[in-house]
Amino acid sequence: MDWDEALDYVAARLKEVREEYGADAVATFQGNPSVHNSGTLLSAGGLVRAIGSRNRFTATSIDQLPHHFAGAEMFGHPFLMPIPDIDRTDFMLMMGANPWPATAAS
């Protein structure tokens, strides 16, 4: 399948999903690297508006806002964020993270 066929296929499926389930059945996500590409950044707004979904997610809504919420709940302000004291930590459980430096594997 070439690019034109792939884009036509995606457009047709998006139209079908919106017609059958409504615009909110589609969600958009904007984050790295698309927000650092001027072409994508300038054109994404039109695409998101054309889709018409209220389900819009970004790197901020998925990653940063939970940090601010935790800081506000724990310390009374969204900009007060905990910094782990790794040097004096006896036990650390990391989920969904890779603490091993990429250079150590090579």
Side-chain angles (χ1 to χ4, degrees):
M1 179 181 295
D2 65 19
W3 278 108
D4 289 336
E5 291 173 312
L7 290 172
D8 288 344
Y9 175 77
V10 169
R13 289 296 295 134
L14 272 173
K15 183 178 178 185
E16 290 172 16
V17 168
R18 287 184 74 241
E19 287 174 351
E20 186 169 348
Y21 302 104
D24 288 335
V26 178
T28 60
F29 176 83
Q30 291 178 275
N32 292 329
S34 64
V35 295
H36 300 290
N37 177 297
S38 59
T40 304
L41 189 59
L42 293 172
S43 63
L47 175 63
V48 170
R49 282 190 298 281
I51 290 172
S53 175
R54 293 177 295 168
N55 296 314
R56 299 175 182 183
F57 302 96
T58 66
T60 298
S61 67
I62 300 297
D63 181 39
Q64 286 306 117
L65 292 182
H67 294 248
H68 293 294
F69 178 78
E73 291 295 308
M74 291 171 58
F75 305 116
H77 195 281
F79 294 145
L80 296 175
M81 297 188 195
I83 298 172
D85 187 359
I86 296 172
D87 292 336
R88 292 185 288 201
T89 298
D90 293 325
F91 176 80
M92 181 185 299
L93 174 64
M94 298 181 81
M95 298 173 64
N98 183 2
W100 194 259
T103 57
S106 52

